Amino acid sequence: MSNNPINCQNCEKSIVGEFRFCPNCGQKTNDELTLGVLFYNTISNYLSFDAKFLRSFAPLMFKPGYLAKAFVQGKRSRYLHPGNMYLFVSVIFFFLFSFVINDWSKDADELNKRIAEADVVENSESQRKRDSINNIKVLNALKRNQNLIGMSDEELARTDSIMRSQKLGGIKTSWGFNKSKVDSLVNVGAPEDVIYKEMGMSEDAGYFERQIYKGSLNIAKGSGFGKIIKRMFDAVPVAMFILLPLFALLLKLFYFRRGRYSYHLVFSFYFFSFLFTVFAMLLGIGRIFPAFPAWISWLIVFSTFLYFYLALFHFYQRHWFTTLLKSGVITFIFLLTIIPTAFGILFVFGLANA
């Protein structure tokens, strides 16, 4: 063995002895730049990722809680890292989901256009009184000629109920401002501030209020609903990075003696990866086979609750009944409080940026 020291090309540390790899940084001591060296790391990293994903896929889908348990026990080289798994699967899911969002956006814009072009209901007390008087006149005429037109008492009562609850004659809408005047201002190219003030924006409106009125104006023009949906979708990945840690916090609260917060975060990464995988598969099947039975899709969706219970049972290793109760309460809290709050914020975000 040679005692002549050499310097590592990467970390520049002195190396004494014959080493193929630097003991400080791990790079080859004689690493000449060739095509093989240029592409070696890329290819090896890809193949390593691919192999780990394939080894991790079956346990993720069919052995609830196994990957998280193996990871916290120190078995971290064979299977894909929970963060990498989550990012990889979520990218695929959101890519497939984008096609659904485009369809929803088109349908929403069509509905928005119909609403914007619909007859406007005058939002005033005098108009409501006129509508009430007209309804009474129509009903009185029907009563006087009830026998002539062959209308039963039940049919007359039902007609009365409909006229009291609906505006007849197609889609009608009521705006919180004078839409005709706003449309006129839009047609003549009036400045946005003038239009917003006509709609009711305050004089000292801040950025957020202005964005709300901007979104409302787009809805009045007939193009806001689709933009809201797209903006909400753009914010969903960010929201998931908030929901996932909150989900892990819920687990920590219910299993506060079962490890550090990071342990619960590992479980959450793998569980959300499972959810995204299932939903991505359903989206893919729906695009390829539009006639795929809906009841099977719903059955698969509801099976995720069973998966969650089994994952908790295997990961935390508590009594089956205790686990059943905790899984139900955690699901209830997450679905009925945290998720609606998050998506309510997303809706406001979408409206403000429509």
Side-chain angles (χ1 to χ4, degrees), residues 224-289:
F225 285 173
K227 290 181 179 179
I228 290 174
I229 291 177
K230 286 187 175 181
R231 293 292 186 180
M232 287 179 63
F233 172 73
D234 291 341
V236 167
V238 178
M240 292 308 302
F241 274 104
I242 299 174
L243 289 175
L244 193 147
L246 288 177
F247 184 78
L249 181 60
L250 268 180
L251 296 177
K252 176 63 177 176
L253 293 176
F254 280 85
Y255 293 97
F256 59 92
R257 295 180 179 177
R258 305 299 292 180
R260 299 185 180 93
Y261 173 75
S262 57
Y263 288 16
H264 309 288
L265 197 58
V266 167
F267 178 93
S268 302
F269 272 125
Y270 279 124
F271 177 64
F272 274 71
S273 297
F274 165 78
L275 292 180
F276 280 140
T277 301
V278 170
F279 293 144
M281 293 172 66
L282 290 176
L283 289 175
I285 292 173
R287 303 296 295 188
I288 299 173
F289 305 105

